[in-house]
Amino acid sequence: MEIYLVGGAVRDRLLGLPPGDRDWVVVGSTPEAMLSAGFRAVGRDFPVFLHPDTGEEHALARTERKSARGHRGFVVDAAPTVTLEEDLGRRDFSINAIAERPDGSLVDPHGGQADIEARVLRHVGPAFSEDPLRVLRAARFMARFAALGFTVADETGALMRGMVAGGELADLVPERVWQELVRALRSPRPSAFLRTLRDCGALAVVLPEVDALYGVPQRAEYHPEVDTGVHVELVCDMAATLAPGDDAIGFAALVHDLGKALTPDDELPKHIQHEQRGVRPVRELGARLRVPAGHRDLAVVACREHLNVHRLAELRDSTVHDLLARCDGFRRPERIGQLATVCEADKRGRTGLQDQPYPQAAELVRLRDAAAAVTGADIAHLELEGPAFGEALRKARVAAIGRARALRRDAG
């Protein structure tokens, strides 16, 4: 039995990145031998085991042979005769196909170290085209590594375009698309995920509502970047900066302007009522990808309300209250903070405006807190019930918003 450190742990060390989870490949062993050594079996599709002491994943070296369409259509061979080089040869990208021996020396049959130095994402071999999920993985790795200067190798981009043209991506299940999207939204540069998919034609397949935004013009005085698709890229990157690793905020940023793709041509470059038009495609995209309810609900709120938040200072006290209530902000205070961040990302996700202040974010949270400080106990002495009680509570909270605003004006 020979054990090697493989994959992301080796890659990230060579890139000088903080270490993450460590994965190991085991050559020359069998499931029975692993169990006898105290490992615990966890693999469903191929033999994976957890180390009895560290809990780290150890997978038997394996090869994969395409047997059907889709990312699960493979026959796996994990016999003890499978070599390390054969296992590395089935991996997606050269930077992920490097193994480290116990003495620290590397096994790198596909030039992964050279590609790390050149900052190139290159597929290992022709078997790459057998798994449509790898197109999304390429885009997701670009979301993570574009900030380090990585680009997709020309031959890899060509292969991805061929896979899309061949209809391979139609076999992807929604859950896997969502998993890759989430990981991209948690990355430093989600825009690279969108651009990589669009360059090979995959964005129109997996996120057609987002792809439809490219080429849609906006008013240059508000959006110097003009193109709505470019704006969404900037917003996603700004969201990743303001809320690193928060995929709920990232998803809301991604879909907040879907309604602009539905603007009639004779209204362009204005987008009247685009926030209302966008709710339906946000819901449809969420249903198709089986997006978690919390992500979907925040996305709908951000789509519907972002213009209201932008003009917060112009809203009446009662309108601010009703905005907070529509967002379920009194029961779910965290949603108002999330909404504020998405709106800030929208406002600052514009060419040349990335450093502009956005006081509406803090003010929205402050007004919510002022209103929420008024509870039913504060009006219990009125001895009201039903709708009358609800209206009295609303009036008291509206008054609290007014007082909070007056204090701010007096202090300013």
Side-chain angles (χ1 to χ4, degrees):
M1 181 188 302
E2 298 175 340
I3 300 177
Y4 301 84
L5 183 66
V6 293
V10 180
R11 176 200 67 220
D12 290 351
R13 180 177 65 78
L14 294 174
L15 283 167
L17 298 176
D21 294 337
R22 300 196 303 173
D23 294 318
W24 305 83
V25 65
V26 182
V27 178
S29 188
T30 64
E32 295 75 17
M34 298 295 287
L35 295 173
S36 297
F39 286 80
R40 180 163 60 90
V42 293
R44 183 181 66 177
D45 299 321
F46 48 85
V48 179
F49 303 84
L50 299 184
H51 191 281
D53 298 323
T54 67
E56 294 176 333
E57 287 192 358
H58 287 60
L60 296 186
R62 67 183 189 275
T63 60
E64 296 171 345
R65 177 174 53 81
K66 188 72 170 175
S67 60
R69 289 177 63 92
H71 74 280
R72 297 178 66 90
F74 291 89
V75 174
V76 174
D77 178 14
T81 55
V82 175
T83 66
L84 175 64
E85 288 73 17
E86 287 174 325
D87 181 272
L88 295 176
R90 61 153 183 94
R91 296 175 183 266
D92 49 11
F93 304 105
S94 62
I95 64 173
N96 297 330
I98 308 171
E100 183 178 304
R101 299 185 181 93
D103 64 4
S105 61
L106 299 179
V107 180
D108 181 19
H110 302 286
Q113 294 177 87
D115 284 341
I116 285 176
E117 292 179 6
R119 299 298 194 255
V120 172
L121 189 68
R122 189 190 316 276
H123 66 286
V124 166
F128 179 93
S129 63
E130 296 177 349
D131 185 354
L133 189 64
R134 288 179 167 178
V135 172
L136 271 67
R137 283 174 58 83
R140 187 248 296 172
F141 278 122
M142 286 302 298
R144 183 178 178 192
F145 295 136
L148 300 179
F150 270 80
T151 59
V152 177
D154 290 342
E155 61 269 31
T156 301
L159 188 59
M160 291 163 59
R161 288 190 291 274
M163 294 169 66
V164 174
E168 278 286 323
L169 271 65
D171 297 312
L172 289 174
V173 297
E175 291 86 353
R176 297 307 298 270
V177 174
W178 173 246
Q179 288 173 11
E180 295 299 320
L181 175 58
V182 162
R183 297 176 78 174
L185 293 172
R186 292 174 185 164
S187 300
R189 198 170 290 178
S191 62
F193 177 82
L194 300 177
R195 284 198 304 274
T196 302
L197 291 182
R198 193 159 191 272
D199 286 346
C200 68
L203 191 63
V205 178
V206 297
L207 292 171
E209 299 89 347
V210 177
D211 186 71
L213 296 175
Y214 286 87
V216 175
Q218 304 166 108
R219 294 173 66 181
E221 63 267 37
Y222 300 118
H223 287 276
E225 68 283 351
V226 179
D227 189 301
T228 306
V230 174
H231 168 58
V232 168
E233 291 181 2
L234 295 171
V235 175
C236 287
D237 286 354
M238 182 57 67
T241 298
L242 296 173
D246 192 322
D247 50 83
I249 287 175
F251 179 67
L254 174 68
V255 301
H256 80 284
D257 262 352
L258 292 189
K260 289 183 176 179
L262 303 177
T263 299
D265 289 345
D266 60 357
E267 293 181 11
L268 295 172
K270 295 181 179 180
H271 292 278
I272 302 168
Q273 295 188 331
H274 76 274
E275 63 274 29
Q276 287 81 24
R277 288 189 178 115
V279 170
R280 178 179 57 81
V282 169
R283 292 190 183 280
E284 290 175 350
L285 187 156
R288 187 179 71 251
L289 295 187
R290 300 173 189 172
V291 173
H295 288 61
R296 179 203 61 214
D297 293 345
L298 174 62
V300 168
V301 163
C303 175
R304 189 184 65 222
E305 307 291 353
H306 63 277
L307 291 191
N308 289 326
V309 178
H310 291 339
R311 58 189 185 95
L312 181 64
E314 305 169 21
L315 303 183
R316 296 176 179 177
D317 298 339
S318 59
T319 306
V320 172
H321 172 278
D322 295 346
L323 164 62
L324 295 170
R326 283 197 304 274
C327 299
D328 202 14
F330 296 114
R331 289 195 315 121
R332 301 190 58 179
E334 74 284 354
R335 178 169 291 168
I336 301 305
Q338 292 174 314
L339 172 62
T341 301
V342 175
C343 292
E344 181 174 358
D346 175 35
K347 200 68 171 182
R348 293 173 59 189
R350 308 177 192 209
T351 300
L353 302 179
Q354 62 272 10
D355 296 322
Q356 290 292 307
Y358 190 74
Q360 297 94 318
E363 181 69 355
L364 184 67
V365 174
R366 190 180 75 89
L367 295 180
R368 191 225 76 93
D369 291 347
V374 179
T375 67
D378 296 309
I379 61 169
H381 64 282
L382 299 177
E383 297 183 353
L384 300 173
E385 296 180 356
F389 179 87
E391 182 57 28
L393 181 59
R394 178 182 180 274
K395 288 181 178 179
R397 285 176 166 172
V398 169
I401 290 171
R403 290 192 297 273
R405 284 176 140 177
L407 284 172
R408 176 58 57 85
R409 286 193 299 269
D410 292 345

